[in-house]
Amino acid sequence: MSRTPEDPAGECSRIIELLREEPRGLSTSEISRRLGMNRNSVAKYLNMLVVSGRLEMQEVAVAKVYYLSHRVPISAMLDFSSDLILVLDSAGRVVQANDNLLSFTGFGRGEVAGRDIDSLDIPLLAPLLEAGLMRVALAGKERTDEVRFEKDGKDLYFVVKFVPTVFDDGGAGVTVIMEDVTAARQVLQEKERLLAEIHQRVRNNLQLISSLLALQAGSMGEGAGREIIRKTEGRLGVLARAHDHLDRSPDHARVCLGAYLADLIADSAAAVSCPADLVATRVVPSDLSLRLNAAIPVGLIVNELISNACTHAYPAGAPGCVLVSALDDGDTLTLVVEDEGAGMPAGFDPVTDGSLGLTLVRTLVTEQLGGRMEISDKGAGTRVLVTVPHGGETP
């Protein structure tokens, strides 16, 4: 004769003990018969145990066979994680907190269970909760932020992710995953420090070589040899400027083109005694940046073209305007240097009659940047157009 169960937890334990002795599983009817329990009550407890992940169910013909689950409970999996994990319901109450979070915050499990997250003193989460990220997650949108946190006098860095969560009963919630990235951040900071030091040393060495060339040029009389040294000094200055701007950039990987061009133009104009304020620049977008392997050839190209424009476009010595433009439309980097001077001499072929500077420019454009160059006579001035396709990946 079956009996009415009065202790659900105890009856669930009896079911588990029975199935532990029967690893192949038992049907609802067989469990009811062996334990002397009402079949409907057994079905209810079996369903509870399946939902909690402690039992597995498999349909065999028309019967349902139950056996012990070999899955790891979610609560245990949370504790396996090296991250700090907090599970909240839609009202912001703590449903689960893993051991790592409890250890980090100093709370006991009983102190956080069922508590409103706003009533817990967790400074790491305070700025993120104030920003409404929990509401964003409850609306179904995942959000990730990085947080700097000070503990025991040390700076710690965490990547905090708010993940929308749905519970077994269909209710909404949020899982907060906090990954400690302090070690990775420290390695990155050390690499950035080393990169900055390398760029500074390269820049200093280039400036030293440039100074030696300047001294050498000063000991020579006017002539072709002195002009060659002067131009070489200018080209070394372009390299030094690139490393100088890399040293200043936040990631030591890219050069802000606008600021870089401004310095190059000042250097190039000064080298040929041209007022720098007559050389204008236009960079679109204004925050356009280039990697080092593109910034150096672009800088050399601009240096040569400005030098040519200031020297040859206005041969009478009267200064004139030079415009340097850089445009990136998402697929192509376009560089234009144009003047309003005398234009190209009659019969001049820039391919066959070009100077070493123009030959250097063409080589840099085609071989190093993979682009093309066009030189055109505007009637009143010369226009040099350089296009570098990059297919969305700015060089």
Side-chain angles (χ1 to χ4, degrees):
M1 181 176 179
S2 63
R3 63 186 181 84
T4 303
E6 298 178 354
D7 180 10
E11 300 298 349
C12 285
S13 296
R14 293 180 65 212
I15 292 173
I16 290 173
E17 287 300 320
L18 175 62
L19 291 175
R20 186 171 284 120
E21 298 171 1
E22 297 287 349
R24 294 185 179 181
L26 294 171
S27 67
T28 306
S29 299
E30 186 63 18
I31 295 172
S32 174
R33 185 184 66 80
R34 292 197 186 191
L35 295 180
M37 294 171 59
N38 178 276
R39 191 178 187 283
N40 290 334
S41 297
V42 169
K44 179 178 68 174
Y45 293 130
L46 287 172
N47 186 56
M48 291 171 55
L49 291 169
V50 169
V51 170
S52 67
R54 302 180 71 181
L55 296 185
E56 297 280 359
M57 185 274 290
Q58 183 176 0
E59 293 186 0
V60 179
V62 295
K64 293 180 179 179
V65 176
Y66 295 86
Y67 52 92
L68 289 180
S69 173
H70 297 294
R71 295 181 297 171
V72 179
I74 294 296
S75 57
M77 292 186 68
L78 295 182
D79 289 331
F80 288 158
S81 174
S82 60
D83 300 330
L84 315 182
I85 301 177
L86 196 62
V87 182
L88 309 173
D89 64 17
S90 59
R93 292 185 294 265
V94 177
V95 176
Q96 286 182 316
N98 73 343
D99 289 344
N100 281 339
L101 184 134
L102 297 174
S103 175
F104 183 83
T105 59
F107 287 116
R109 195 172 300 278
E111 295 178 274
V112 300
R115 290 276 301 278
D116 191 301
I117 185 63
D118 291 325
S119 70
L120 296 174
D121 184 18
I122 305 181
L124 177 63
L125 288 178
L128 301 178
L129 292 171
E130 290 172 5
L133 297 189
M134 185 173 148
R135 290 191 298 273
V136 170
L138 284 171
K141 297 179 181 178
E142 186 174 306
R143 174 70 182 269
T144 302
D145 284 85
E146 184 170 313
V147 176
R148 184 180 67 85
F149 176 72
E150 185 176 337
K151 184 180 182 182
D152 300 330
K154 296 180 180 179
D155 282 340
L156 304 177
Y157 295 88
F158 285 83
V159 170
V160 182
K161 181 178 292 187
F162 285 73
V163 182
T165 302
V166 178
F167 298 113
D168 290 335
D169 62 1
V174 178
T175 299
V176 186
I177 303 172
M178 293 158 272
E179 179 186 3
D180 188 346
V181 295
T182 304
R185 172 57 75 94
Q186 289 172 342
V187 170
L188 179 61
Q189 289 175 338
E190 178 63 15
K191 287 183 177 179
E192 289 178 349
R193 187 190 68 78
L194 291 174
L195 274 174
E197 185 176 330
I198 289 170
H199 291 310
Q200 188 174 39
R201 289 186 179 184
V202 171
R203 179 191 61 194
N204 292 342
N205 288 336
L206 288 170
Q207 288 176 340
L208 174 61
I209 296 170
S210 182
S211 298
L212 292 174
L213 286 173
L215 288 173
Q216 182 66 44
S219 66
M220 299 172 64
E222 294 294 336
R226 182 171 182 172
E227 182 66 13
I228 290 172
I229 290 179
R230 185 187 64 77
K231 289 189 175 181
T232 302
E233 182 186 349
R235 289 161 187 156
L236 283 172
V238 172
L239 305 184
R241 281 292 187 190
H243 284 278
D244 181 37
H245 280 268
L246 276 175
D247 186 29
R248 291 190 238 161
S249 69
D251 59 1
H252 303 290
R254 300 184 73 88
V255 171
C256 177
L257 187 57
Y260 179 47
L261 287 180
D263 282 346
L264 288 180
I265 287 168
D267 294 343
S268 303
V272 292
S273 302
C274 174
D277 58 355
L278 293 178
V279 183
T281 59
R282 184 171 66 93
V283 177
V284 180
S286 58
D287 61 349
L288 179 60
S289 63
L290 300 178
R291 290 191 294 267
L292 180 63
N293 60 350
I296 286 178
V298 165
L300 289 169
I301 290 167
V302 170
N303 176 68
E304 297 295 334
L305 294 179
I306 289 176
S307 178
N308 280 351
C310 292
T311 303
H312 302 294
Y314 307 102
C321 295
V322 179
L323 175 63
V324 180
S325 303
L327 167 67
D328 193 304
D329 63 6
D331 293 305
T332 303
L333 173 64
T334 302
L335 185 69
V336 178
V337 179
E338 53 188 328
D339 59 68
E340 299 173 351
M344 292 183 288
F348 178 79
D349 184 344
V351 176
T352 59
D353 301 338
S355 63
L356 174 61
L358 276 180
T359 302
L360 173 62
V361 169
R362 180 170 282 101
T363 301
L364 290 170
V365 171
T366 58
E367 296 185 11
Q368 194 153 346
L369 294 177
R372 61 188 180 88
M373 180 178 74
E374 297 177 8
I375 302 179
S376 58
D377 196 330
K378 304 190 302 179
T382 303
R383 183 173 189 265
V384 181
L385 171 68
V386 172
T387 53
V388 181
H390 57 68
E393 180 62 30
T394 304

